[in-house]
Amino acid sequence: MQALVALCVLVGGYLSSARGEVVGSFQDIPECLDFFYQGKVPDWGAATPGAARLCQRFKNSYHFATLYDTHHRIAVYSAYRFQTSDGGGREKRWFVEPQLVDLNWGTEMRDGYWLGQDNPGIYLGERQALNEDYTHSGFDRGHLNPNGHHAVPRRNATFTLTNVVPQNPKLNQNAWRVYESQLTDLFNAKCAHAFVLVGAIPSADNWIIKNNVKRVNIPEYIWNAYCCLDNNGRPIHSGGATALNTEQNRVDQRTLTDLTGFLQQYTNSPVGELFLNNCEA
């Protein structure tokens, strides 16, 4: 009997830890830690009120991790591993996270339109942005984890509204797009593996407003950090960037140390390391 009880506890614990996409800690799902260098989750953003940890699940696999700010309805950051693109097309759907509506719902991201059709009368947008929030807003759905840094199906999985922020169209389609392309060239030429964080710093009070309701915060800055490894898994290069989310259309490239100092301006807590040992061997 004791052995049976122990087995039930073990199985129950396993099912609890494998519960789904919205987790209490990224450590709850080991596959989710694969998107952080050496499994180290940064302290940055951990104390964000209402933060949700999303292990982004699509087609029965985990593809990246997102720390999501349910108050501002934008991501604090998305963490991913770079993949060389296979040239697949852009996803035409926009997904939402069912478990931000009800923790008992499915673990996979869903097309927001069809999730709404399947659950009439239930509002999906209390804790996340919806596609209609961006419609006619004047802002792009700016990917944090960019689709161009992945092959299919991971490329498709980046089209979740929990991975985008309202981004100035001029910045998104010009300087930031160029920067992402430069990273693609760098990672393909010099890195056997690359771990990346891309985040947003919310504005004090600048929002997409729908029907007189503040729906989605318009970030003040977009930022990026990366850690590049050789074939033996040793760090060989790192860096980052920040961009004011305006028509200024400028990306400032930074060292990780510079970036940490920049982020420190927006928190009263120590930023800490974005990557283990600051991506140093």
Side-chain angles (χ1 to χ4, degrees), residues 29 36 43 46 51 107 138 152 175 180 182 224 226 245 265:
I29 296 181
F36 300 92
D43 293 331
T107 63
V152 172
E180 289 177 339
Q182 290 171 341
N224 163 287
Y226 62 87
N245 189 25
Q265 302 173 72

Side-chain angles (χ1 to χ4, degrees), residues 51-119:
R53 289 154 182 84
L54 312 180
C55 294
Q56 301 280 15
R57 188 178 175 94
F58 178 68
K59 291 195 172 181
N60 205 35
S61 295
Y62 297 106
H63 296 284
F64 62 103
T66 299
L67 183 64
Y68 191 73
D69 180 343
T70 61
H71 171 65
H72 291 106
R73 301 185 185 92
I74 58 174
V76 178
Y77 64 75
S78 283
Y80 66 94
R81 295 183 67 166
F82 173 80
Q83 293 178 312
T84 300
S85 174
D86 57 4
R90 288 177 62 89
E91 177 64 63
K92 293 182 172 61
R93 299 167 294 175
W94 284 101
F95 303 113
V96 296
E97 172 47 55
Q99 291 194 332
L100 287 180
V101 184
D102 187 325
L103 279 172
N104 294 311
W105 286 10
T107 63
E108 293 229 355
M109 59 180 71
R110 287 280 309 278
D111 181 321
Y113 174 79
W114 286 110
L115 185 64
Q117 293 294 304
D118 292 343
N119 298 277

